[in-house]
Amino acid sequence: MNKSSKILLWVVLGAVILLLGITLFTSFYSPATEIKFSEYEEKIANVDASERVTTIVVDDYIYKGYNANGKYIFFAYGDRGDYTAQKLDEWTGKYPGFKYTYTDPNAGSFWSYLIPFFGIILVCVVFYLIIRQTQGGGSKAMSFAKSKARVNSNIKVRFADVAGAEEEKAELAEVVEFLKSPKKFSDLGARIPKGILLVGPPGTGKTLFAKAVAGEANVPFFSISGSDFVEMFVGVGASRVRDLFDAAKKSQPCIIFIDEIDAVGRQRGTGLGGGHDEREQTLNQLLVQMDGFETNEGIIVMAATNRADILDPALLRPGRFDRQVYVNLPDVRGREAILKVHSRNKPMAPNVNFKILARMTSGFSGADLENLLNEAAILAARANKKLIGNKELYEGINKVLVGPQKKSRLVTESDKRITAYHEAGHAILARLCKNCDPVQEVSIIPRGMAAGYTMTRPDSDDNHMSKDKLKDIVCMTLGGRVAEEIVIKDVCTGASSDLQKVTEISRKMVTEWGMSERVGLVTYGSDNPIFLGRDMEAHNSYSEETANMIDEEVHKIIEEAHARATKLLTEKRSVLDNMARLLIERETIYTDEVDMLMNGEPLEKINEYMDTKEKAAQENPFKRYDAPTEEKKDEDPFADENGERKH
């Protein structure tokens, strides 16, 4: 509905309200005073000319009294019986100048005719305008079948705004070139991919890539979510798909981007409605539009998902989504570039080192890095600073990883002691096991759901995990529980997440990664979540004997790691006690302090060192750590023949 129609509708509605108000006013408002019919004789005999009734008009059962000037001053309720007629005749003969009349039942006032007439007209006008609005000016009774795609013809995002994925940019550059100059490809008989599927973990920039392609090619960008196609009404999703492609044909060359396509592109035959599922009808229409009888030259469909495993195979064949681009988590160079991109509009302190920052954010996605800088900016604003410094960036990393500090939480001395020994156990084993990442920070300050934490920092972005490294990780993870067993002679609930982690790793070592000699090189599990419909009838493809063997092997890995952790921490009992004391006193220690404790330095010397270092690290917490090396060495020169670090 346009602006003029809206104005007209409001005017009509105002007129209807006004007429209704006039009707109600004339119906219920009366300028006269109500009296009893028996009181009329007194009013007729009144000597006051203004209050004396000279005429009574009988209007059905209402008796209206008027004075000599014709002013309506009194009214009474009665009936047209013999009593009232006799009284009126009696008063006529008794009081000179008095008379009475009857109203014509067929006569009516001006408003009694005008208001119903105009009321009918206004109701018809309002009804017409409402119908026009629901139709959207078209021939459809409802607008459900219209596409909900948002169109942007002026995308500002460019490839320069997407950092840390140079290979992905190179693959998508061909699409940009085709959209800019399609004749160059058609002359050689080349067929540009009709669809490009962006696959990767959440937060890696899949949607940003699609916008960058549209921005580089300077073509219209139709964006819609997969869930926007799905409705409870039959046929609506398929109709929206047709409407989307019809609109795109009018603007070609262009890009259609479907975010979270797994909402509509799941494998067929897996829904509760079977082949007649509304979602499946929508998918069928999408398949036809992408590669059916109609040609859609100049239209490139881009989609994003993090569950490519559940997509229908027909959707992934050549002619539809014939190219898949995997957008992985950025490496250290990629993280550095992403940090620089997101810091363009933020006032950063001159001593901020993005290289060190990138080293300390291993495993962060692009969204995590953006959130890190945003959290740092919020912390700087909270402290009334004009620049974002290293102190805020460091706290932002910890906030993203483990949550905000909760220093105000009341912690008993007993809990503090247990937490100190628990985290000290983790830190010592991380230091002793050669394949574990270096210890970055150990703290007993509650963060998020954790009572304390031991943070390790990888020196490089390793894509593979060896069997020895996994065993070391299991051993280090059990360090907290073992420390409680050695010192407190009891166990508590604080190791629940650690036990869950070691169980998961150990089971995957046996069932998925072929790291058990007894089970062999056979996989018995899947890393993917259960997909309703495809996996609802799935069952174990192995016998009960094999299941028992798997359980035994999982227990064996954990028990061996537990025994190893117990042996190492027992040997390092003095270091365990000193680290726990230092944590209780200082609450947080860092890499240098851990190394000094492992080397047997006395607590007095460590405290002096921390006091000196704390002044320098007040505004730059990164000074607490040594600069990370460019590459992690494959062999540890300080390791003995058993794989343990010399000490």
Side-chain angles (χ1 to χ4, degrees):
M1 181 179 286
N2 54 27
K3 186 177 181 180
S4 58
S5 299
K6 290 181 179 179
I7 294 174
L8 179 60
L9 178 61
W10 282 110
V11 170
V12 172
L13 289 174
V16 171
I17 295 172
L18 180 62
L19 285 177
L20 289 174
I22 293 173
T23 304
L24 293 174
F25 180 80
T26 55
S27 301
F28 297 101
Y29 175 73
S30 176
T33 304
E34 182 181 2
I35 61 174
K36 296 179 179 179
F37 181 80
S38 59
E39 297 176 356
Y40 255 128
E41 185 174 5
E42 179 183 349
K43 304 298 182 183
I44 296 172
N46 197 336
V47 296
D48 189 356
S50 61
E51 296 290 329
R52 183 172 179 260
V53 176
T54 60
T55 304
I56 291 180
V57 178
V58 183
D59 186 2
D60 198 10
Y61 60 91
I62 303 176
Y63 294 81
K64 301 178 180 179
Y66 297 84
N67 61 12
N69 298 323
K71 183 180 179 182
Y72 179 32
I73 53 177
F74 298 107
F75 71 95
Y77 294 99
D79 56 28
R80 289 192 175 187
D82 294 337
Y83 173 76
T84 54
Q86 291 175 2
K87 284 293 183 181
L88 291 172
D89 291 335
E90 179 184 338
W91 294 340
T92 302
K94 187 175 179 180
Y95 300 103
F98 173 76
K99 63 181 180 179
Y100 69 92
T101 61
Y102 292 91
T103 59
D104 186 0
N106 297 320
S109 66
F110 174 76
W111 289 108
S112 64
Y113 293 108
L114 186 64
I115 292 176
F117 177 75
F118 276 104
I120 294 173
I121 294 176
L122 290 174
V123 169
C124 293
V125 172
V126 171
F127 184 74
Y128 170 75
L129 293 175
I130 293 175
I131 292 296
R132 277 196 62 185
Q133 184 180 13
T134 57
Q135 291 180 342
S139 59
K140 298 178 183 178
M142 296 291 180
S143 61
F144 292 125
K146 299 290 289 184
S147 171
K148 295 184 177 181
R150 294 163 292 278
V151 187
N152 194 335
S153 300
N154 189 22
I155 298 291
K156 301 295 185 182
V157 183
R158 299 292 186 268
F159 279 153
D161 300 317
V162 185
E166 300 304 320
E167 291 79 7
E168 291 83 351
K169 288 183 190 178
E171 286 196 65
L172 296 174
E174 297 176 4
V175 180
V176 176
E177 189 68 21
F178 170 77
L179 291 170
K180 286 184 175 181
S181 52
K183 192 174 184 301
K184 182 172 69 173
F185 293 85
S186 60
D187 289 345
L188 296 173
R191 179 181 60 84
I192 199 69
K194 293 186 178 181
I196 298 177
L197 183 65
L198 301 171
V199 185
T204 51
K206 298 183 292 292
T207 304
L208 190 65
F209 261 118
K211 291 182 178 180
V213 171
E216 289 286 345
N218 195 24
V219 296
F221 184 73
F222 293 78
S223 60
I224 191 171
S225 173
S227 59
D228 289 336
F229 292 110
V230 183
E231 287 282 357
M232 63 178 291
F233 302 102
V234 178
V236 171
S239 180
R240 285 178 178 174
V241 172
R242 289 192 296 269
D243 185 73
L244 172 61
F245 278 85
D246 289 341
K249 289 176 184 177
K250 299 175 182 178
S251 303
Q252 56 182 324
C254 63
I255 291 176
I256 295 176
F257 176 67
I258 305 174
D259 199 9
E260 305 296 342
I261 194 173
D262 50 275
V264 71
R266 297 194 300 267
Q267 295 180 19
R268 288 168 291 183
T270 58
L272 299 179
H276 298 286
D277 186 14
E278 167 63 13
R279 181 191 56 77
E280 292 195 6
Q281 303 303 322
T282 305
L283 174 58
N284 292 335
Q285 186 62 48
L286 180 62
L287 295 174
V288 172
Q289 290 291 337
M290 290 188 67
D291 188 24
F293 295 105
E294 299 183 14
T295 58
N296 297 315
E297 299 292 339
I299 300 176
I300 293 179
V301 182
M302 300 185 70
T305 182
N306 53 8
R307 293 295 310 275
D309 59 299
I310 67 172
L311 295 180
D312 195 277
L315 202 59
L316 303 176
R317 74 159 177 82
R320 289 179 178 134
F321 286 110
D322 29 22
R323 180 174 295 187
Q324 296 186 26
V325 179
Y326 292 89
V327 187
N328 295 316
L329 292 172
D331 57 11
V332 61
R333 293 186 180 88
R335 292 194 298 273
E336 183 181 352
I338 293 171
L339 287 167
K340 290 180 179 178
V341 168
H342 287 300
S343 63
R344 290 175 182 172
N345 62 340
K346 293 179 174 64
M348 309 299 295
N351 62 340
V352 171
N353 192 329
F354 289 109
K355 187 178 293 294
I356 295 179
L357 198 61
R359 289 285 182 185
M360 297 186 64
T361 51
S362 178
F364 277 43
S365 66
D368 291 332
L369 295 172
E370 190 276 335
N371 187 39
L372 184 158
L373 290 176
N374 185 65
E375 291 290 347
I378 293 173
L379 291 171
R382 190 184 300 172
N384 296 319
K385 293 185 176 181
K386 300 297 183 182
L387 298 175
I388 303 172
N390 289 297
K391 184 178 180 180
E392 291 77 30
L393 290 170
Y394 181 82
E395 178 60 27
I397 294 175
N398 290 343
K399 199 171 181 180
V400 173
L401 285 174
V402 290
Q405 285 188 351
K406 298 183 178 180
K407 290 186 176 182
S408 61
R409 180 186 294 178
L410 183 62
V411 182
T412 64
E413 291 299 322
S414 175
D415 283 345
K416 186 180 289 188
R417 182 171 178 266
I418 294 174
T419 304
Y421 274 103
H422 185 103
E423 301 304 331
H426 286 309
I428 293 172
L429 291 181
R431 182 65 174 77
L432 293 176
C433 299
K434 74 168 186 175
N435 293 297
C436 288
D437 297 325
V439 178
Q440 174 181 310
E441 182 177 339
V442 187
S443 178
I444 61 172
I445 299 174
R447 279 185 179 268
M449 298 293 294
Y453 58 93
T454 299
M455 192 179 300
T456 59
R457 181 193 69 225
D459 287 333
S460 62
D461 296 307
D462 295 330
N463 295 320
H464 301 286
M465 301 283 280
S466 66
K467 182 179 178 180
D468 289 339
K469 182 169 185 176
L470 290 170
K471 285 184 174 181
D472 284 353
I473 292 175
V474 173
C475 180
M476 185 272 291
T477 307
L478 290 173
R481 176 64 173 258
V482 173
E484 295 174 11
E485 295 173 355
I486 294 174
V487 178
I488 305 172
K489 307 299 182 181
D490 197 0
V491 294
C492 63
T493 59
S496 61
S497 60
D498 296 334
L499 298 179
Q500 183 179 358
K501 181 179 179 181
V502 300
T503 304
E504 181 182 355
I505 294 175
S506 302
R507 185 166 292 278
K508 286 185 176 182
M509 289 175 65
V510 176
T511 61
E512 296 183 28
W513 300 330
M515 295 181 180
S516 171
E517 295 180 359
R518 185 181 175 191
V519 174
L521 305 178
V522 182
T523 60
Y524 294 102
S526 175
D527 197 24
N528 296 321
I530 294 177
F531 177 46
L532 182 62
R534 184 187 66 194
D535 302 326
M536 64 188 307
E537 297 182 355
H539 57 276
N540 292 335
S541 58
Y542 48 88
S543 64
E544 292 185 6
E545 291 79 6
T546 303
N548 291 332
M549 182 174 59
I550 291 172
D551 290 339
E552 291 173 0
E553 287 295 293
V554 171
H555 279 283
K556 180 182 176 182
I557 293 173
I558 297 175
E559 291 302 323
E560 288 179 352
H562 181 271
R564 180 185 172 195
T566 304
K567 177 178 178 293
L568 291 174
L569 288 181
T570 303
E571 294 175 354
K572 289 293 183 180
R573 175 61 190 270
S574 60
V575 178
L576 181 64
D577 292 333
N578 287 337
M579 188 175 294
R581 281 194 210 99
L582 190 62
L583 281 171
I584 294 173
E585 182 180 348
R586 294 284 187 166
E587 293 187 329
T588 304
I589 60 176
Y590 304 92
T591 306
D592 291 345
E593 291 79 50
V594 173
D595 291 341
M596 293 175 73
L597 286 165
M598 296 298 297
N599 293 330
E601 299 286 349
L603 290 178
E604 294 79 9
K605 184 178 179 180
I606 299 175
N607 276 308
E608 291 176 3
Y609 175 78
M610 291 187 70
D611 290 337
T612 305
K613 189 177 67 172
E614 195 62 31
K615 295 178 181 178
Q618 195 69 34
E619 286 299 322
N620 186 5
F622 297 107
K623 289 185 177 181
R624 297 187 177 109
Y625 312 106
D626 296 329
T629 56
E630 286 295 324
E631 296 183 358
K632 184 179 180 179
K633 296 182 180 179
D634 295 331
E635 298 184 357
D636 191 341
F638 301 101
D640 59 19
E641 63 274 6
N642 297 320
E644 313 294 351
R645 286 181 178 165
K646 297 177 182 179
H647 42 273

